[in-house]
Amino acid sequence: MSDELLSKSAVEVGELIRTKQVSPVDVTRSLLDHAHRLNDEVNAYVSFRDDAAMAEAQKAEQEIAAGEHRGPLHGVPMALKDNLYVAGEVTTMSSKIHGDFVSKDDATAVSKLRDAGIVLTGKLNMHEYAWGIDNNSPHFGAVHNPWNLDKVPGGSSGGSGAAVASDMSFSTLGTDTAGSIRIPSAACGLVGLKPTHGRVAKFGCYPLAWTLDHIGPMAKTVDDAAAMLQAIAGFDHRDPTSADVPVGDYRAALGGDPKGLVIGIEEDYYFRDVDTNIERLVRARIDDLVSRGATVKKVSIPALKYSEWTELAVSLSEAAAIHHRDLETRPQDFGDDIRFLFYLGELFSSVDYLQAQQVRRQIKQEFTAALADVDVLIAPTLPVMAPDIGSPVADLNGNPVDLVDNFIRYTGPSNLTGLPAMTVPGGLNDGLPVGVQIVGKAFDEATVLKVGRFIEESDPMQGQRAPVGASAATAGRR
């Protein structure tokens, strides 16, 4: 099986499988071999399902041969973040405390992907309990960015981002509480979509913060993200935050051109204190859309200036409540950074938490008003570039700034509002990817995906792929 095939998108491989040009058994074996070879370098996987995956691939091959094709992902191998439960198998949350936890049920998103016919190859590394953004795990080791192995991949879904960027998984799912789908997707040069809160049921996903958590796709292309969302979206009564809202045909919605698109730009927050090269690339993508018929309208969301405090007050308070018993009985079993954050969460009072919820409501109302006059908002995904593994700071135009605060600064507001937000590659800065963020109206993922496709069509990455991946040997970049 060629390296070129492993570097294809999930939908492309799914079509080759559907038309019997390749076998899901051969594809799965090749992907597993490739992932095993690279895992010492990248450390994206925490566990492999070789035998189970091969059995699932054989089943997919038999079904397709019998005319029982399930859709664009049937027979496509992929791994999933290790906070999504797989029935009868260990799900660790990259923690010591849950190191041998076994669920009796699949997560809703996992069962839906199984229904779509995917082949599950293993579980992916993450920041402990999904509370962190560098994916430097004290229990499972650091994940390395395939664009530069010295750099962080972003987190908490860093294993997910690194696996897809290095062709160790054709696509995957991440979870996002303050940006943990979009941060690693931006840092690893991927498409990452946080759907509207409630669009994807969270049953069987270990929570970080109940009112902020989301599940969504991380993929090589917008088409892959649309296919993944199509598979996992929908209501589930087992998740009290799940929304009973009709699911559209996201792949069918892709197409057209940007003529008539109205882009909202919030300058005061999303283009303040940002790396100059990131800003240049994001504005270039906006200018390209304008050259193709879109228009730009400036909007104002004053309450955004309170969003960083609000995000931390809500997320830390809810996380501390979830982990309170273990903090009392076995605090030594948490990683140092996570234990500190959960203790910090216990310092917020009920007044703090409720005031934060009131500010959150104001932010959401102002977003809704701003989006009433535009189709989407476009902004940088991250204001800084990925730093070296182990660094607590990032560089902002020559000045060291706190890594956590800055990595979540532009992504956190969409968790507070629950609005759909997606990052797509916008180009390279000093050899590392830059993400362009698209924020849309509630349950209008179709428009967000369509705008992402418009940006993708301009080929901002100019065909460049991560130097650590299936095609790297062929391209002479390893």
Side-chain angles (χ1 to χ4, degrees):
M1 193 64 58
S2 71
D3 290 340
E4 182 183 356
L5 184 66
L6 290 178
S7 67
K8 289 185 180 295
S9 74
V11 167
E12 288 172 337
V13 168
E15 180 61 15
L16 293 174
I17 290 172
R18 184 189 70 82
T19 56
K20 303 182 180 64
Q21 297 179 63
V22 297
S23 158
V25 174
D26 291 340
V27 174
T28 299
R29 181 72 270 160
S30 293
L31 184 137
L32 283 168
D33 288 346
H34 171 71
H36 278 290
R37 283 195 303 270
L38 273 191
N39 207 45
D40 285 345
E41 286 184 87
V42 180
N43 197 29
Y45 279 73
V46 296
S47 61
F48 287 91
R49 303 177 72 250
D50 294 66
D51 292 342
M54 293 309 300
E56 291 170 4
Q58 289 167 358
K59 179 183 177 183
E61 185 171 61
Q62 292 165 1
E63 290 174 340
I64 293 167
E68 300 171 2
H69 186 250
R70 301 192 192 188
L73 301 176
H74 197 178
V76 177
M78 62 183 71
L80 298 175
K81 188 176 180 179
D82 202 26
N83 60 350
L84 296 168
Y85 300 171
V86 175
E89 300 181 21
V90 172
T91 300
T92 70
M93 281 61 76
S94 277
S95 70
K96 180 178 180 180
I97 292 172
H98 282 86
D100 57 359
F101 170 76
V102 176
S103 170
K104 63 182 178 63
D105 297 307
D106 279 342
T108 303
V110 173
S111 66
K112 284 178 174 286
L113 285 177
R114 287 191 189 277
D115 290 343
I118 70 138
V119 173
L120 180 57
T121 56
K123 302 300 285 296
L124 297 171
N125 205 339
M126 55 182 280
H127 207 108
E128 185 177 0
Y129 290 118
W131 221 130
I133 47 76
D134 62 3
N135 221 130
N136 191 357
S137 168
H139 309 299
F140 292 89
V143 178
H144 298 259
N145 191 320
W147 288 88
N148 181 332
L149 293 173
D150 293 329
K151 302 293 183 180
V152 303
S156 62
S157 310
S160 299
V164 177
S166 58
D167 304 314
M168 299 165 76
S169 180
F170 280 105
S171 188
T172 190
L173 297 180
T175 61
D176 192 311
T177 305
S180 291
I181 289 170
R182 291 159 290 153
I183 292 168
S185 293
C188 293
L190 304 176
V191 175
L193 172 62
K194 181 196 77 65
T196 309
H197 193 253
R199 171 64 84 191
V200 176
K202 294 177 293 187
F203 174 80
C205 175
Y206 194 89
L208 170 56
W210 298 290
T211 68
L212 298 169
D213 293 345
H214 301 66
I215 299 172
M218 299 172 65
K220 297 178 182 178
T221 67
V222 174
D223 196 12
D224 282 5
M228 291 286 285
L229 181 60
Q230 194 76 50
I232 64 174
F235 177 73
D236 185 343
H237 71 275
R238 295 174 297 178
D239 172 12
T241 68
S242 180
D244 193 1
V245 176
V247 175
D249 188 337
Y250 300 113
R251 293 189 70 207
L254 301 177
D257 60 62
K259 188 174 182 179
L261 176 73
V262 182
I263 301 166
I265 304 294
E266 213 287 345
E267 297 274 2
D268 291 341
Y269 187 82
Y270 285 113
F271 287 90
R272 172 180 54 83
D273 296 331
V274 58
D275 179 279
T276 54
N277 286 321
I278 292 175
E279 179 178 1
R280 173 181 55 80
L281 287 168
V282 173
R283 291 195 187 275
R285 303 288 76 79
I286 295 170
D287 289 345
D288 177 74
L289 293 173
V290 171
S291 73
R292 295 161 62 193
T295 58
V296 169
K297 179 180 177 63
K298 290 188 176 182
V299 301
S300 178
I301 306 176
L304 272 170
K305 62 186 175 184
Y306 305 115
S307 63
E308 294 163 59
W309 174 83
T310 304
E311 166 73 33
L312 288 173
V314 174
S315 60
L316 286 172
S317 296
E318 294 183 3
I322 290 165
H323 294 278
H324 176 72
R325 184 178 297 277
D326 287 330
L327 279 172
E328 286 189 321
T329 60
R330 50 190 305 188
Q332 72 283 356
D333 290 335
F334 290 98
D336 291 342
D337 60 335
I338 299 305
R339 182 174 58 252
F340 169 78
L341 288 168
F342 291 160
Y343 276 141
L344 182 62
E346 298 210 344
L347 299 180
F348 287 97
S349 68
S350 58
V351 172
D352 294 328
Y353 181 76
L354 292 173
Q355 285 179 337
Q357 295 290 7
Q358 292 299 311
V359 176
R360 182 181 184 180
R361 178 182 297 175
Q362 179 65 28
I363 294 170
K364 187 171 184 177
Q365 289 173 342
E366 290 184 9
F367 263 92
T368 301
L371 284 162
D373 297 326
V374 301
D375 295 304
V376 294
L377 304 177
I378 292 183
T381 307
L382 301 175
V384 294
M385 300 302 297
D388 287 346
I389 293 170
S391 174
V393 299
D395 178 88
L396 179 56
N397 297 323
N399 298 308
V401 293
D402 183 79
L403 176 60
V404 175
D405 288 349
N406 281 273
F407 256 28
I408 68 174
R409 180 150 54 92
Y410 290 167
T411 54
S414 294
N415 296 88
L416 291 170
T417 62
L419 295 173
M422 182 170 74
T423 184
V424 296
L428 292 174
N429 175 24
D430 196 23
L432 293 175
V434 168
V436 179
Q437 185 172 202
I438 306 156
V439 181
K441 301 171 185 177
F443 299 103
D444 189 16
E445 288 84 5
T447 298
V448 173
L449 286 159
K450 181 179 291 190
V451 175
R453 182 64 168 267
F454 294 154
I455 294 174
E456 184 179 68
E457 288 170 348
S458 68
D459 190 24
M461 300 293 279
Q462 298 182 335
Q464 293 293 307
R465 295 179 50 78
V468 178
S471 63
T474 303
R477 294 198 298 271
R478 288 188 62 195

